[in-house]
């Protein structure tokens, strides 16, 4: 309590006592017991009221014990069951749950991980992928600032994601890996990596690169071959020994037929090889008969140009060239579509050539755009010229019907800079993204598509699209979502297909461990997205003609069905709408490949490094008897007594108000009883 507050309390006590004595002793000239008691009650009332006015603050201290957390993270992927470790994991977890001393010392939290990390101790060992790095990223967020050692029960084999060894370095508490799997080294051949382009062009050859690895001591000879169906299209004899443990094989395979071609790359197994599954890998290549060449025409330098080129060439079917207007005039016949970036006076002849060749175009405007030229050279839309710029953020139009557009979180994307002023279209158009200012939708298009004079066109009213691509990487650690979004727009501009009320988005083939997601959008007769319909997909296995019908689920502004987990093979499908005579058909190919079955041993070396770098300790699943005792005896994980201090003002004490009421009531009652009122 502050010194000045204490002084005020003393003064309040003197004032209260003086008033009480003045009223009942000095003024009445009586010192009987009754008047002394009445003076006492008056003193209490006045003093308590003055205390409320002063309102001193008191410090309250409470003590509590804080137990450290013990995080038990268990690998729930298929590799654990493939290595026959399920029962050992269950025994270890049951031992942890039944250890009362451990429960008294720690707050034990159980997590499982595979594709993602979940707070659960229910294990199925059926996850198709292992992303170990996400475990430490999530735990770092949840348990930051607390004592939380991790019991990391895994084989240490990761199939995708960032390297978990580096992710573990960012975790501030000790990590105790429990190693699952066989540590005995067997002679083993495997295809470590296969590199091939997803697309090839008709009558060309496409390169296929394979890294073959041998683990063993004895010299061996084997054959590597690539098969398509029953035909061997490439073969090569390989020799390995303890010093020569890997080889890179490059094969140039012919692309003679349009469509999806499947292949098997395989190493002939050793006679007593234990794991033969990792000797082969399936892959597929889609052969197409042409490549889309895109001209990005610009008379200025801008970071948008590089972002556009990167996004377009994310799809190997496309190539983008950044060229000047004069260069385009000399080579216009080489391109199937054109992106006009911030047109100025140098673009006048470019517009003429585009009209002559009937090329589809995508115009991107900004602060350096010559709107007088654009307004005068076409009549589809008119932009008011104010010579002032404005920043516009995007908002997705969920009723856009021309092709499927996923919401990338556009509302949080950075604004684009463009001309301020009214925009008027004179022809029908469809808005993909609306302009918003300070969260208010202006109902004016930021990105729109339309068709005119047998041409497809798109226009983006803003520069700075490179920021959107960067934002996508910040959100997802990948440019893929933004590149796919732009790729769909480029695909629309490069296609002559008519608009449909039912659009289906899918890949021609999927690797065995990929998520097999098919999306669809259905629009009513006014081409407005209809979220109230029931869509189904009928899937037919071409090998045995078995069919199954699966409903779509509504997700944001599209319908979606997850076919992950279906067996490998070729399938035809039909997407239909209940109560509507509308359907779309296609085919997909699921490649036979299980990445979780490619491992023969636990990754002991890396798990030990994780333990060492975090000041933890590693254990093998067959030797965990000392694990609990080691955790209990570690002084870093002691229960900590903490205190919590609260500053409480006197006005919060209800007892003081009760004291004032009681003292005043008793004073009144005694005066009334003795005839003083």
């Amino acid at each position: 309590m502050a010194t000045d507050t204490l002084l005020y309390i003393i003064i309040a006590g003197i004032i209260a006592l003086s008033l009480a004595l003045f009223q009942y002793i000095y003024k009445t000239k009586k010192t009987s017991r009754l008047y002394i008691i009445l003076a006492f009650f008056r003193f209490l009332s006045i003093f308590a009221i003055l205390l409320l006015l002063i309102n001193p603050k008191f410090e309250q201290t409470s003590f509590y014990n804080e137990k450290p957390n013990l995080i038990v993270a268990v690998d729930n992927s298929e590799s654990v069951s493939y290595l026959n470790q399920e029962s050992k994991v269950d025994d270890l977890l049951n031992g942890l749950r039944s250890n009362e001393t451990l429960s008294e010392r720690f707050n034990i939290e159980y997590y499982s991980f595979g594709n993602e990390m979940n707070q659960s101790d229910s294990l199925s060992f059926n996850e198709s992928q292992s992303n170990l790095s996400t475990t430490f990223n999530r735990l770092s967020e949840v348990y930051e600032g607390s004592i939380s050692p991790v019991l990391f029960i895994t084989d240490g084999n990761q199939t995708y994601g960032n390297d978990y060894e580096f992710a573990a370095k960012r975790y501030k508490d000790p990590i105790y890996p429990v190693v699952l799997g066989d540590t005995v080294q067997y002679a083993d051949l495997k295809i470590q990596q296969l590199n091939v382009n997803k697309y090839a062009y008709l009558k060309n050859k496409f390169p296929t690169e394979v890294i073959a690895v041998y683990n063993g001591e004895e010299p061996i000879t084997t054959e590597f071959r690539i098969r398509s169906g029953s035909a061997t299209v490439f073969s090569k004899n390989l020799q390995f020994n303890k010093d020569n443990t890997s080889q890179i094989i490059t094969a140039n395979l012919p692309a003679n037929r349009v469509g999806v071609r499947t292949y098997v790359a395989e190493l002939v197994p050793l006679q007593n090889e234990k794991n033969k599954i990792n000797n082969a890998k399936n892959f597929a290549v889609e052969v197409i008969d042409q490549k889309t060449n895109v001209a990005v025409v610009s008379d200025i330098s801008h970071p948008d140009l590089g972002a556009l080129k990167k996004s377009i060439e994310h799809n190997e079917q496309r190539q983008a060239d950044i060229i000047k207007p004069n260069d385009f005039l000399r080579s216009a016949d080489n391109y199937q579509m054109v992106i006009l970036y911030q047109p100025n006076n140098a673009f006048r002849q470019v517009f003429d050539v585009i009209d002559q060749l009937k090329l589809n175009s995508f115009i991107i405007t900004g602060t350096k755009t010559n709107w007088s030229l654009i307004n005068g050279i076409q009549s589809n839309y008119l932009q008011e010229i104010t010579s002032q710029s404005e920043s516009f953020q995007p908002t997705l139009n969920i009723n856009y019907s021309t092709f499927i557009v996923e919401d990338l979180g556009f509302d949080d994307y950075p604004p684009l800079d463009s001309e301020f002023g009214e925009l008027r279209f004179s022809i029908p158009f469809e808005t993909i993204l609306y302009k918003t200012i300070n969260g208010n939708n202006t109902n004016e298009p930021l990105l729109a598509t339309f068709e005119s004079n047998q041409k497809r066109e798109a226009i983006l009213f803003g520069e700075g699209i490179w920021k959107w691509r960067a934002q996508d990487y910040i959100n997802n650690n990948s440019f893929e979502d933004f590149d796919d979004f732009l790729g769909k727009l480029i695909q629309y501009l490069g296609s002559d297909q008519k608009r449909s009320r039912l659009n289906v988005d899918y890949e021609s083939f999927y690797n065995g461990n990929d998520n097999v997601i098919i999306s669809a959008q259905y629009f009513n007769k006014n081409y407005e997205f209809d979220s109230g319909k029931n869509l189904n997909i009928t899937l037919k296995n071409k090998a045995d003609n078995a069919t199954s019908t699966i409903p779509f689920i509504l997700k944001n502004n599209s319908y979606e069905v997850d076919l992950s987990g279906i067996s490998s093979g070729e399938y035809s499908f039909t997407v239909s709408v209940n109560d509507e005579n509308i359907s779309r058909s296609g085919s997909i190919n699921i490649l036979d490949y299980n990445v979780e079955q490619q491992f023969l041993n636990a990754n002991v070396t890396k798990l030990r490094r994780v333990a060492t770098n975090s000041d933890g300790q590693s254990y093998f699943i067959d030797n965990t008897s000392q694990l609990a005792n080691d955790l209990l005896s570690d002084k870093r994980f002691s229960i900590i007594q903490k205190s919590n201090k609260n500053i409480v003002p006197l006005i919060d004490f209800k007892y003081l108000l009760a004291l004032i009421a009681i003292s005043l009531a008793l004073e009144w009652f005694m005066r009334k009883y003795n005839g003083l009122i």
Side-chain angles (χ1 to χ4, degrees):
M1 187 182 300
T3 304
D4 55 348
T5 303
L6 183 60
L7 180 61
Y8 292 149
I9 293 174
I10 295 173
I11 294 173
I14 294 172
I15 293 172
L17 183 60
S18 299
L19 289 174
L21 292 176
F22 175 78
Q23 288 181 327
Y24 284 106
I25 304 298
Y26 178 78
K27 190 176 181 181
T28 61
K29 307 297 183 180
K30 296 178 181 179
T31 57
S32 64
R33 183 179 179 184
L34 173 62
Y35 283 90
I36 292 175
I37 294 174
L38 289 172
F40 173 72
F41 284 131
R42 179 58 60 91
F43 165 75
L44 281 181
S45 301
I46 297 174
F47 183 62
I49 292 171
L50 291 174
L51 281 180
L52 287 177
L53 294 175
I54 297 171
N55 194 24
K57 295 177 174 58
F58 298 91
E59 188 177 87
Q60 285 185 340
T61 303
S62 59
F63 296 91
Y64 62 95
N65 292 330
E66 184 178 274
K67 295 194 294 184
N69 302 303
L70 177 61
I71 313 303
V72 182
V74 187
D75 193 336
N76 195 35
S77 64
E78 290 180 344
S79 63
V80 176
S81 59
Y82 180 67
L83 296 173
N84 299 317
Q85 300 295 306
E86 312 103 293
S87 60
K88 295 179 180 179
V89 173
D90 290 336
D91 291 342
L92 175 59
L93 293 179
N94 290 333
L96 293 173
R97 294 190 193 100
S98 61
N99 192 320
E100 296 181 1
T101 307
L102 204 62
S103 298
E104 292 174 358
R105 179 70 169 276
F106 294 94
N107 294 316
I108 305 178
E109 301 284 349
Y110 292 91
Y111 293 87
S112 62
F113 60 88
N115 295 305
E116 295 290 340
M117 190 184 76
N118 301 295
Q119 187 171 13
S120 170
D121 58 356
S122 177
L123 301 172
S124 57
F125 303 108
N126 62 356
E127 296 276 354
S128 60
Q129 295 269 28
S130 300
N131 187 355
L132 278 65
S133 63
T134 192
T135 302
F136 296 109
N137 292 334
R138 299 291 184 272
L139 293 178
S140 296
E141 296 171 359
V142 175
Y143 294 99
E144 183 179 5
S146 64
I147 300 175
S148 305
V150 177
L151 197 58
F152 195 45
I153 306 173
T154 179
D155 57 14
N157 294 313
Q158 181 170 339
T159 59
Y160 81 106
N162 297 325
D163 192 334
Y164 69 89
E165 183 178 352
F166 294 101
K169 288 181 179 179
R170 295 194 295 270
Y171 192 72
K172 302 303 181 184
D173 290 296
I175 301 171
Y176 293 83
V178 176
V179 183
L180 305 176
D182 195 348
T183 59
V184 178
Q185 296 294 323
Y186 300 94
D188 182 56
L189 281 169
K190 74 172 180 178
I191 295 178
Q192 180 73 31
Q193 188 169 333
L194 189 149
N195 300 318
V196 64
N197 291 332
K198 193 173 184 178
Y199 302 98
Y201 302 102
L202 186 64
K203 298 181 181 179
N204 285 345
K205 289 189 176 183
F206 60 92
T208 303
E209 183 182 74
V210 174
I211 301 176
V213 175
Y214 168 65
N215 292 322
E217 298 291 329
E218 301 297 326
I220 60 101
T221 299
T222 188
E223 182 185 10
F224 170 77
R225 57 195 178 206
I226 299 176
R227 292 187 292 107
S228 178
S230 58
T232 299
V233 296
F234 180 86
S235 65
K236 183 178 182 180
N237 291 325
L238 304 177
Q239 293 181 341
F240 295 97
N241 54 51
K242 65 178 182 179
D243 298 318
N244 179 27
T245 58
S246 66
Q247 292 191 38
I248 299 176
I249 308 104
T250 301
N252 292 310
L253 306 180
N256 297 325
R257 189 178 65 190
V258 173
V260 178
R261 301 293 304 275
T262 59
Y263 300 86
V264 179
E266 60 183 1
L267 293 165
V268 175
L270 303 177
Q271 185 174 359
N272 298 318
E273 192 168 353
K274 186 174 181 180
N275 184 7
K276 299 179 182 179
I277 294 177
N278 61 9
N279 287 47
K281 273 192 178 182
N282 294 280
F283 66 98
V285 174
E286 185 174 1
V287 179
I288 55 180
D289 60 359
Q290 64 178 356
K291 186 171 186 175
T292 302
N293 293 320
V294 180
V296 182
V297 184
S298 175
D299 200 36
I300 63 174
S301 296
H302 197 282
D304 281 353
L305 302 174
L308 288 167
K309 180 177 175 64
K310 289 285 187 181
S311 291
I312 293 169
E313 294 183 346
H314 172 73
N315 187 326
E316 296 166 5
Q317 300 178 69
R318 304 185 183 110
Q319 178 178 328
D321 297 327
I322 302 174
I323 56 178
K324 295 286 186 180
N326 290 335
D327 296 330
F328 172 75
L329 297 176
R330 290 191 291 267
S331 58
D333 292 334
N334 297 333
Y335 300 101
Q336 285 75 52
M337 68 157 295
V338 186
I339 296 177
L340 305 176
Y341 189 79
Q342 302 214 42
N344 55 25
N345 287 330
F347 282 69
R348 187 175 298 276
Q349 289 184 333
V350 172
F351 281 100
D352 294 338
V353 170
I354 290 174
D355 287 338
Q356 292 171 8
L357 298 178
K358 299 293 183 183
L359 293 176
N360 294 338
S361 61
F362 178 22
I363 297 177
I364 301 176
T365 67
T367 57
K368 295 180 175 60
T369 301
N370 186 336
W371 275 109
S372 296
L373 170 70
I374 297 178
N375 287 342
I377 211 166
Q378 52 80 41
S379 59
N380 298 327
Y381 50 87
L382 184 68
Q383 170 70 52
E384 179 185 3
I385 301 175
T386 63
S387 299
Q388 297 180 19
S389 62
E390 181 63 88
S391 297
F392 301 103
Q393 282 191 281
T395 293
L396 180 66
N397 174 21
I398 63 172
N399 290 319
Y400 182 77
S401 62
T402 304
F403 53 86
I404 295 177
V405 179
E406 298 290 339
D407 190 353
L408 310 184
F410 289 107
D411 291 343
D412 297 324
Y413 271 31
L416 303 185
D417 298 324
S418 186
E419 182 83 9
F420 174 77
E422 184 182 0
L423 174 70
R424 296 188 298 273
F425 271 86
S426 58
I427 61 171
F429 68 98
E430 276 206 277
T431 300
I432 301 178
L433 300 173
Y434 287 111
K435 293 178 180 179
T436 62
I437 301 177
N438 297 325
N440 299 314
N441 193 337
T442 65
N443 290 321
E444 289 191 3
L446 179 64
L447 174 61
T449 59
F450 57 92
E451 297 184 19
S452 174
N453 298 325
Q454 299 180 339
K455 294 190 304 176
R456 290 183 171 182
E457 297 186 43
I459 183 165
L460 175 66
F461 297 95
E463 66 175 272
I465 199 171
W466 68 271
K467 300 175 186 176
W468 289 6
R469 192 168 189 261
Q471 185 66 44
D472 184 45
Y473 187 85
I474 293 172
N475 294 344
N476 305 302
N477 291 324
S478 167
F479 300 111
E480 186 170 352
D481 287 348
F482 176 81
D483 291 347
D484 287 344
F485 164 72
L486 189 64
K488 289 178 181 179
L489 180 60
I490 299 300
Q491 182 179 5
Y492 160 75
L493 294 172
S495 171
D496 294 326
Q497 293 181 356
K498 300 298 182 182
R499 187 167 68 168
S500 170
R501 288 173 56 197
L502 178 61
N503 298 322
V504 181
D505 188 21
Y506 64 97
E507 299 286 343
S508 298
F509 63 89
Y510 299 85
N511 292 316
N513 281 83
D514 288 348
N515 291 324
V516 184
I517 306 294
I518 295 180
S519 300
Q521 279 186 325
Y522 172 75
F523 301 90
N524 61 24
K525 293 182 180 180
N526 293 325
Y527 287 96
E528 296 172 334
F529 177 70
D530 191 340
S531 61
K533 289 293 184 180
N534 294 321
L535 274 65
N536 297 301
I537 182 170
T538 301
L539 203 64
K540 181 179 180 181
N541 191 323
K542 293 182 179 180
D544 56 11
N545 292 324
T547 62
S548 59
T549 300
I550 305 170
F552 281 78
I553 61 172
L554 182 65
K555 186 175 181 181
N556 297 327
N557 63 319
S558 65
Y559 295 90
E560 187 175 284
V561 64
D562 188 350
L563 303 179
S564 304
I566 65 173
S567 57
S568 60
E570 294 186 41
Y571 295 85
S572 61
F573 68 85
T574 300
V575 176
S576 58
V577 183
N578 288 1
D579 304 325
E580 294 281 352
N581 188 24
I582 297 176
S583 63
R584 289 289 176 269
S585 299
S587 61
I588 57 175
N589 195 334
I590 311 297
L591 304 183
D592 183 16
Y593 178 68
N594 190 328
V595 68
E596 291 291 337
Q597 295 183 0
Q598 304 302 305
F599 305 106
L600 186 63
N601 300 101
N603 196 336
V604 180
T605 304
K606 180 172 285 192
L607 290 174
R608 281 178 171 170
R609 287 202 301 266
V610 168
T612 301
N613 293 335
S614 65
D615 293 328
Q617 185 176 343
S618 62
Y619 301 83
F620 290 101
I621 188 64
D622 295 322
N623 187 24
T624 57
S625 57
Q626 284 296 115
L627 174 59
N629 290 333
D630 290 344
L631 291 171
L632 292 169
S633 61
D634 197 321
K635 295 182 179 179
R636 292 176 296 178
F637 312 138
S638 300
I639 296 176
I640 300 174
Q641 186 179 69
K642 291 188 175 182
S643 62
N644 187 17
K645 291 184 178 181
N646 291 325
I647 305 299
V648 182
L650 184 65
I651 200 170
D652 289 345
F653 284 82
K654 297 179 181 179
Y655 297 110
L656 186 60
L657 298 175
L659 177 62
I660 295 172
I662 291 171
S663 64
L664 289 173
L666 289 175
E667 181 186 352
W668 180 88
F669 177 78
M670 291 182 68
R671 291 184 62 178
K672 184 72 173 177
Y673 182 78
N674 290 280
L676 299 177
I677 296 178

